[in-house]
PDB file of all heavy atoms in Angstrom:
ATOM      1  N   GLN A  60     -20.566-111.924  77.356  1.00 93.00           N
ATOM      2  CA  GLN A  60     -21.082-113.313  77.122  1.00 93.00           C
ATOM      3  C   GLN A  60     -21.789-113.299  75.799  1.00 93.00           C
ATOM      4  O   GLN A  60     -22.224-112.195  75.211  1.00 93.00           O
ATOM      5  CB  GLN A  60     -21.972-113.774  78.188  1.00 93.00           C
ATOM      6  CG  GLN A  60     -23.352-112.979  78.289  1.00 93.00           C
ATOM      7  CD  GLN A  60     -24.314-113.561  79.265  1.00 93.00           C
ATOM      8  OE1 GLN A  60     -24.385-114.705  79.528  1.00 93.00           O
ATOM      9  NE2 GLN A  60     -25.140-112.646  79.792  1.00 93.00           N
ATOM     10  N   ASP A  66     -26.753-119.497  62.236  1.00 90.00           N
ATOM     11  CA  ASP A  66     -26.106-120.176  61.124  1.00 90.00           C
ATOM     12  C   ASP A  66     -27.221-120.251  60.123  1.00 90.00           C
ATOM     13  O   ASP A  66     -28.257-120.968  60.315  1.00 90.00           O
ATOM     14  CB  ASP A  66     -25.686-121.605  61.466  1.00 90.00           C
ATOM     15  CG  ASP A  66     -24.472-121.572  62.407  1.00 90.00           C
ATOM     16  OD1 ASP A  66     -24.637-121.293  63.624  1.00 90.00           O
ATOM     17  OD2 ASP A  66     -23.307-121.762  61.958  1.00 90.00           O
ATOM     18  N   SER A  86     -36.100-113.629  40.840  1.00 96.00           N
ATOM     19  CA  SER A  86     -35.245-114.543  41.687  1.00 96.00           C
ATOM     20  C   SER A  86     -36.094-115.407  42.594  1.00 96.00           C
ATOM     21  O   SER A  86     -37.180-114.913  43.000  1.00 96.00           O
ATOM     22  CB  SER A  86     -34.114-113.820  42.375  1.00 96.00           C
ATOM     23  OG  SER A  86     -34.751-113.017  43.446  1.00 96.00           O
ATOM     24  N   ASP A 112     -36.144-101.440  26.118  1.00 96.00           N
ATOM     25  CA  ASP A 112     -35.122-100.657  26.812  1.00 96.00           C
ATOM     26  C   ASP A 112     -34.052-100.273  25.743  1.00 96.00           C
ATOM     27  O   ASP A 112     -33.205-101.128  25.285  1.00 96.00           O
ATOM     28  CB  ASP A 112     -34.479-101.526  27.899  1.00 96.00           C
ATOM     29  CG  ASP A 112     -33.348-100.828  28.636  1.00 96.00           C
ATOM     30  OD1 ASP A 112     -33.044 -99.698  28.260  1.00 96.00           O
ATOM     31  OD2 ASP A 112     -32.751-101.349  29.528  1.00 96.00           O
ATOM     32  N   GLU A 114     -31.308 -99.011  26.025  1.00 97.00           N
ATOM     33  CA  GLU A 114     -29.910 -99.087  26.470  1.00 97.00           C
ATOM     34  C   GLU A 114     -29.527-100.569  26.616  1.00 97.00           C
ATOM     35  O   GLU A 114     -28.397-100.807  27.158  1.00 97.00           O
ATOM     36  CB  GLU A 114     -29.701 -98.289  27.669  1.00 97.00           C
ATOM     37  CG  GLU A 114     -30.032 -96.773  27.435  1.00 97.00           C
ATOM     38  CD  GLU A 114     -29.708 -95.927  28.672  1.00 97.00           C
ATOM     39  OE1 GLU A 114     -29.132 -96.539  29.721  1.00 97.00           O
ATOM     40  OE2 GLU A 114     -30.006 -94.736  28.677  1.00 97.00           O
ATOM     41  N   THR A 193     -16.023-103.996  70.683  1.00 98.00           N
ATOM     42  CA  THR A 193     -16.019-102.668  71.386  1.00 98.00           C
ATOM     43  C   THR A 193     -15.853-102.971  72.864  1.00 98.00           C
ATOM     44  O   THR A 193     -16.832-103.726  73.432  1.00 98.00           O
ATOM     45  CB  THR A 193     -17.285-101.801  71.100  1.00 98.00           C
ATOM     46  OG1 THR A 193     -17.436-101.760  69.695  1.00 98.00           O
ATOM     47  CG2 THR A 193     -17.257-100.475  71.816  1.00 98.00           C
ATOM     48  N   GLU A 269     -23.114 -86.459  33.191  1.00 95.00           N
ATOM     49  CA  GLU A 269     -24.457 -85.775  33.149  1.00 95.00           C
ATOM     50  C   GLU A 269     -24.412 -84.548  34.031  1.00 95.00           C
ATOM     51  O   GLU A 269     -25.498 -83.830  34.213  1.00 95.00           O
ATOM     52  CB  GLU A 269     -25.499 -86.766  33.668  1.00 95.00           C
ATOM     53  CG  GLU A 269     -25.780 -87.831  32.597  1.00 95.00           C
ATOM     54  CD  GLU A 269     -26.811 -88.878  33.126  1.00 95.00           C
ATOM     55  OE1 GLU A 269     -27.035 -88.971  34.270  1.00 95.00           O
ATOM     56  OE2 GLU A 269     -27.326 -89.609  32.200  1.00 95.00           O
ATOM     57  N   TYR A 377     -21.479 -93.611  61.668  1.00 97.00           N
ATOM     58  CA  TYR A 377     -22.698 -93.031  61.105  1.00 97.00           C
ATOM     59  C   TYR A 377     -22.395 -91.883  60.111  1.00 97.00           C
ATOM     60  O   TYR A 377     -22.782 -90.689  60.156  1.00 97.00           O
ATOM     61  CB  TYR A 377     -23.579 -92.317  62.280  1.00 97.00           C
ATOM     62  CG  TYR A 377     -25.123 -92.598  62.071  1.00 97.00           C
ATOM     63  CD1 TYR A 377     -25.901 -93.214  63.000  1.00 97.00           C
ATOM     64  CD2 TYR A 377     -25.692 -92.249  60.790  1.00 97.00           C
ATOM     65  CE1 TYR A 377     -27.179 -93.493  62.711  1.00 97.00           C
ATOM     66  CE2 TYR A 377     -26.935 -92.534  60.506  1.00 97.00           C
ATOM     67  CZ  TYR A 377     -27.777 -93.168  61.415  1.00 97.00           C
ATOM     68  OH  TYR A 377     -29.047 -93.418  61.251  1.00 97.00           O
ATOM     69  N   ARG A 384     -22.066 -82.877  45.600  1.00 93.00           N
ATOM     70  CA  ARG A 384     -21.264 -82.002  44.642  1.00 93.00           C
ATOM     71  C   ARG A 384     -19.725 -81.950  45.074  1.00 93.00           C
ATOM     72  O   ARG A 384     -18.887 -81.697  44.269  1.00 93.00           O
ATOM     73  CB  ARG A 384     -21.672 -80.506  44.755  1.00 93.00           C
ATOM     74  CG  ARG A 384     -23.079 -80.374  44.164  1.00 93.00           C
ATOM     75  CD  ARG A 384     -23.650 -78.968  44.395  1.00 93.00           C
ATOM     76  NE  ARG A 384     -23.689 -78.651  45.755  1.00 93.00           N
ATOM     77  CZ  ARG A 384     -24.183 -77.476  46.260  1.00 93.00           C
ATOM     78  NH1 ARG A 384     -24.490 -76.543  45.393  1.00 93.00           N
ATOM     79  NH2 ARG A 384     -24.214 -77.193  47.541  1.00 93.00           N
ATOM     80  N   ARG A 393     -15.341 -92.068  66.993  1.00 97.00           N
ATOM     81  CA  ARG A 393     -15.894 -93.085  67.998  1.00 97.00           C
ATOM     82  C   ARG A 393     -14.837 -93.981  68.548  1.00 97.00           C
ATOM     83  O   ARG A 393     -13.951 -94.326  67.792  1.00 97.00           O
ATOM     84  CB  ARG A 393     -16.948 -93.815  67.231  1.00 97.00           C
ATOM     85  CG  ARG A 393     -17.767 -94.861  68.066  1.00 97.00           C
ATOM     86  CD  ARG A 393     -18.837 -95.432  67.447  1.00 97.00           C
ATOM     87  NE  ARG A 393     -19.384 -96.599  68.222  1.00 97.00           N
ATOM     88  CZ  ARG A 393     -20.440 -97.367  67.844  1.00 97.00           C
ATOM     89  NH1 ARG A 393     -21.118 -97.112  66.784  1.00 97.00           N
ATOM     90  NH2 ARG A 393     -20.760 -98.296  68.625  1.00 97.00           N
ATOM     91  N   SER A 461     -19.563 -84.074  70.756  1.00 97.00           N
ATOM     92  CA  SER A 461     -20.640 -85.059  71.213  1.00 97.00           C
ATOM     93  C   SER A 461     -20.329 -85.526  72.628  1.00 97.00           C
ATOM     94  O   SER A 461     -19.153 -85.877  72.899  1.00 97.00           O
ATOM     95  CB  SER A 461     -20.675 -86.188  70.224  1.00 97.00           C
ATOM     96  OG  SER A 461     -21.385 -87.308  70.801  1.00 97.00           O
ATOM     97  N   ASP A 462     -21.396 -85.751  73.369  1.00 97.00           N
ATOM     98  CA  ASP A 462     -21.186 -86.300  74.675  1.00 97.00           C
ATOM     99  C   ASP A 462     -21.146 -87.849  74.646  1.00 97.00           C
ATOM    100  O   ASP A 462     -20.981 -88.532  75.684  1.00 97.00           O
ATOM    101  CB  ASP A 462     -22.370 -85.870  75.605  1.00 97.00           C
ATOM    102  CG  ASP A 462     -22.244 -84.415  75.978  1.00 97.00           C
ATOM    103  OD1 ASP A 462     -21.070 -83.961  76.205  1.00 97.00           O
ATOM    104  OD2 ASP A 462     -23.222 -83.747  76.020  1.00 97.00           O
TER     105      ASP A 462
ATOM    106  N   ARG B  89     -35.735 -94.321  34.680  1.00 97.00           N
ATOM    107  CA  ARG B  89     -35.138 -92.905  34.602  1.00 97.00           C
ATOM    108  C   ARG B  89     -35.691 -92.274  33.263  1.00 97.00           C
ATOM    109  O   ARG B  89     -35.662 -93.033  32.247  1.00 97.00           O
ATOM    110  CB  ARG B  89     -33.656 -92.863  34.709  1.00 97.00           C
ATOM    111  CG  ARG B  89     -32.890 -93.692  33.583  1.00 97.00           C
ATOM    112  CD  ARG B  89     -31.401 -93.411  33.683  1.00 97.00           C
ATOM    113  NE  ARG B  89     -31.120 -92.082  33.255  1.00 97.00           N
ATOM    114  CZ  ARG B  89     -29.894 -91.444  33.343  1.00 97.00           C
ATOM    115  NH1 ARG B  89     -28.910 -92.147  33.890  1.00 97.00           N
ATOM    116  NH2 ARG B  89     -29.716 -90.295  32.957  1.00 97.00           N
ATOM    117  N   ARG B  92     -37.295 -94.205  30.270  1.00 95.00           N
ATOM    118  CA  ARG B  92     -36.753 -95.661  30.080  1.00 95.00           C
ATOM    119  C   ARG B  92     -36.949 -96.418  31.420  1.00 95.00           C
ATOM    120  O   ARG B  92     -36.770 -95.893  32.538  1.00 95.00           O
ATOM    121  CB  ARG B  92     -35.278 -95.492  29.855  1.00 95.00           C
ATOM    122  CG  ARG B  92     -34.575 -96.815  29.631  1.00 95.00           C
ATOM    123  CD  ARG B  92     -33.053 -96.663  29.573  1.00 95.00           C
ATOM    124  NE  ARG B  92     -32.465 -97.834  30.041  1.00 95.00           N
ATOM    125  CZ  ARG B  92     -31.478 -97.957  30.834  1.00 95.00           C
ATOM    126  NH1 ARG B  92     -30.999 -96.910  31.334  1.00 95.00           N
ATOM    127  NH2 ARG B  92     -31.119 -99.140  31.224  1.00 95.00           N
ATOM    128  N   ASP B  98     -38.502-109.267  40.245  1.00 96.00           N
ATOM    129  CA  ASP B  98     -39.388-109.980  41.066  1.00 96.00           C
ATOM    130  C   ASP B  98     -38.547-110.873  41.974  1.00 96.00           C
ATOM    131  O   ASP B  98     -37.719-111.558  41.431  1.00 96.00           O
ATOM    132  CB  ASP B  98     -40.320-110.782  40.314  1.00 96.00           C
ATOM    133  CG  ASP B  98     -41.761-110.510  40.578  1.00 96.00           C
ATOM    134  OD1 ASP B  98     -42.112-109.393  40.914  1.00 96.00           O
ATOM    135  OD2 ASP B  98     -42.570-111.477  40.484  1.00 96.00           O
ATOM    136  N   ASN B  99     -38.750-110.871  43.226  1.00 96.00           N
ATOM    137  CA  ASN B  99     -37.961-111.732  44.131  1.00 96.00           C
ATOM    138  C   ASN B  99     -38.754-112.481  45.066  1.00 96.00           C
ATOM    139  O   ASN B  99     -39.714-111.920  45.702  1.00 96.00           O
ATOM    140  CB  ASN B  99     -37.001-110.764  44.871  1.00 96.00           C
ATOM    141  CG  ASN B  99     -36.135-111.594  45.901  1.00 96.00           C
ATOM    142  OD1 ASN B  99     -35.382-112.519  45.526  1.00 96.00           O
ATOM    143  ND2 ASN B  99     -36.161-111.189  47.230  1.00 96.00           N
ATOM    144  N   GLN B 137     -25.769-125.358  68.838  1.00 92.00           N
ATOM    145  CA  GLN B 137     -25.183-124.073  68.860  1.00 92.00           C
ATOM    146  C   GLN B 137     -25.466-123.370  70.220  1.00 92.00           C
ATOM    147  O   GLN B 137     -24.586-122.755  70.801  1.00 92.00           O
ATOM    148  CB  GLN B 137     -25.813-123.220  67.714  1.00 92.00           C
ATOM    149  CG  GLN B 137     -25.152-121.882  67.400  1.00 92.00           C
ATOM    150  CD  GLN B 137     -26.119-120.989  66.708  1.00 92.00           C
ATOM    151  OE1 GLN B 137     -27.022-120.484  67.308  1.00 92.00           O
ATOM    152  NE2 GLN B 137     -25.868-120.943  65.436  1.00 92.00           N
ATOM    153  N   VAL B 146     -22.829-115.925  81.225  1.00 78.00           N
ATOM    154  CA  VAL B 146     -22.680-115.376  82.597  1.00 78.00           C
ATOM    155  C   VAL B 146     -24.089-115.305  83.295  1.00 78.00           C
ATOM    156  O   VAL B 146     -24.182-115.818  84.373  1.00 78.00           O
ATOM    157  CB  VAL B 146     -22.085-113.857  82.524  1.00 78.00           C
ATOM    158  CG1 VAL B 146     -21.936-113.338  83.958  1.00 78.00           C
ATOM    159  CG2 VAL B 146     -20.707-113.936  81.812  1.00 78.00           C
ATOM    160  N   ASP B 241     -23.388 -76.680  39.325  1.00 90.00           N
ATOM    161  CA  ASP B 241     -24.266 -76.990  40.532  1.00 90.00           C
ATOM    162  C   ASP B 241     -25.337 -77.955  40.072  1.00 90.00           C
ATOM    163  O   ASP B 241     -25.788 -77.960  38.915  1.00 90.00           O
ATOM    164  CB  ASP B 241     -24.879 -75.686  40.952  1.00 90.00           C
ATOM    165  CG  ASP B 241     -25.522 -75.893  42.353  1.00 90.00           C
ATOM    166  OD1 ASP B 241     -25.380 -76.868  43.001  1.00 90.00           O
ATOM    167  OD2 ASP B 241     -26.194 -74.917  42.802  1.00 90.00           O
ATOM    168  N   GLU B 305     -34.491 -91.141  65.144  1.00 98.00           N
ATOM    169  CA  GLU B 305     -33.115 -91.205  65.625  1.00 98.00           C
ATOM    170  C   GLU B 305     -32.974 -90.741  67.061  1.00 98.00           C
ATOM    171  O   GLU B 305     -32.190 -91.219  67.777  1.00 98.00           O
ATOM    172  CB  GLU B 305     -32.218 -90.281  64.739  1.00 98.00           C
ATOM    173  CG  GLU B 305     -32.185 -90.601  63.230  1.00 98.00           C
ATOM    174  CD  GLU B 305     -31.431 -91.882  62.994  1.00 98.00           C
ATOM    175  OE1 GLU B 305     -31.167 -92.651  63.870  1.00 98.00           O
ATOM    176  OE2 GLU B 305     -31.099 -92.140  61.856  1.00 98.00           O
ATOM    177  N   ALA B 321     -23.577-102.249  71.740  1.00 97.00           N
ATOM    178  CA  ALA B 321     -22.446-101.236  71.795  1.00 97.00           C
ATOM    179  C   ALA B 321     -21.498-101.386  70.606  1.00 97.00           C
ATOM    180  O   ALA B 321     -20.823-100.448  70.244  1.00 97.00           O
ATOM    181  CB  ALA B 321     -21.658-101.538  73.113  1.00 97.00           C
ATOM    182  N   ASN B 322     -21.410-102.570  69.990  1.00 97.00           N
ATOM    183  CA  ASN B 322     -20.444-102.734  68.923  1.00 97.00           C
ATOM    184  C   ASN B 322     -20.884-102.288  67.625  1.00 97.00           C
ATOM    185  O   ASN B 322     -20.032-102.066  66.670  1.00 97.00           O
ATOM    186  CB  ASN B 322     -20.048-104.238  68.840  1.00 97.00           C
ATOM    187  CG  ASN B 322     -18.887-104.527  67.925  1.00 97.00           C
ATOM    188  OD1 ASN B 322     -17.811-103.822  68.158  1.00 97.00           O
ATOM    189  ND2 ASN B 322     -18.948-105.440  67.004  1.00 97.00           N
ATOM    190  N   SER B 458     -27.508 -88.051  60.563  1.00 97.00           N
ATOM    191  CA  SER B 458     -26.363 -88.765  61.204  1.00 97.00           C
ATOM    192  C   SER B 458     -26.515 -88.433  62.701  1.00 97.00           C
ATOM    193  O   SER B 458     -26.776 -87.346  63.116  1.00 97.00           O
ATOM    194  CB  SER B 458     -25.040 -88.228  60.623  1.00 97.00           C
ATOM    195  OG  SER B 458     -23.961 -88.700  61.424  1.00 97.00           O
ATOM    196  N   ASP B 460     -24.867 -89.743  66.780  1.00 97.00           N
ATOM    197  CA  ASP B 460     -23.837 -90.621  67.471  1.00 97.00           C
ATOM    198  C   ASP B 460     -24.361 -91.778  68.197  1.00 97.00           C
ATOM    199  O   ASP B 460     -25.603 -92.101  68.173  1.00 97.00           O
ATOM    200  CB  ASP B 460     -23.030 -89.690  68.447  1.00 97.00           C
ATOM    201  CG  ASP B 460     -23.852 -89.281  69.780  1.00 97.00           C
ATOM    202  OD1 ASP B 460     -24.561 -90.183  70.252  1.00 97.00           O
ATOM    203  OD2 ASP B 460     -23.737 -88.086  70.102  1.00 97.00           O
ATOM    204  N   ARG B 493     -28.250 -81.395  70.302  1.00 97.00           N
ATOM    205  CA  ARG B 493     -27.949 -82.326  71.451  1.00 97.00           C
ATOM    206  C   ARG B 493     -29.418 -82.706  71.884  1.00 97.00           C
ATOM    207  O   ARG B 493     -30.226 -81.819  72.247  1.00 97.00           O
ATOM    208  CB  ARG B 493     -27.219 -81.624  72.588  1.00 97.00           C
ATOM    209  CG  ARG B 493     -26.789 -82.610  73.672  1.00 97.00           C
ATOM    210  CD  ARG B 493     -25.880 -81.895  74.633  1.00 97.00           C
ATOM    211  NE  ARG B 493     -25.439 -82.763  75.708  1.00 97.00           N
ATOM    212  CZ  ARG B 493     -26.188 -83.138  76.767  1.00 97.00           C
ATOM    213  NH1 ARG B 493     -27.360 -82.694  76.925  1.00 97.00           N
ATOM    214  NH2 ARG B 493     -25.641 -83.979  77.615  1.00 97.00           N
TER     215      ARG B 493
END
Side-chain angles (χ1 to χ4, degrees):
Chain A
Q60 66 174 332
D66 291 76
S86 69
D112 179 358
E114 299 184 8
T193 304
E269 289 176 344
Y377 219 126
R384 295 174 300 180
R393 182 173 168 180
S461 162
D462 288 321
Chain B
R89 60 169 291 171
R92 180 186 155 231
D98 235 32
N99 177 55
Q137 190 199 77
V146 179
D241 193 8
E305 300 289 14
N322 192 47
S458 170
D460 68 43
R493 188 176 181 277

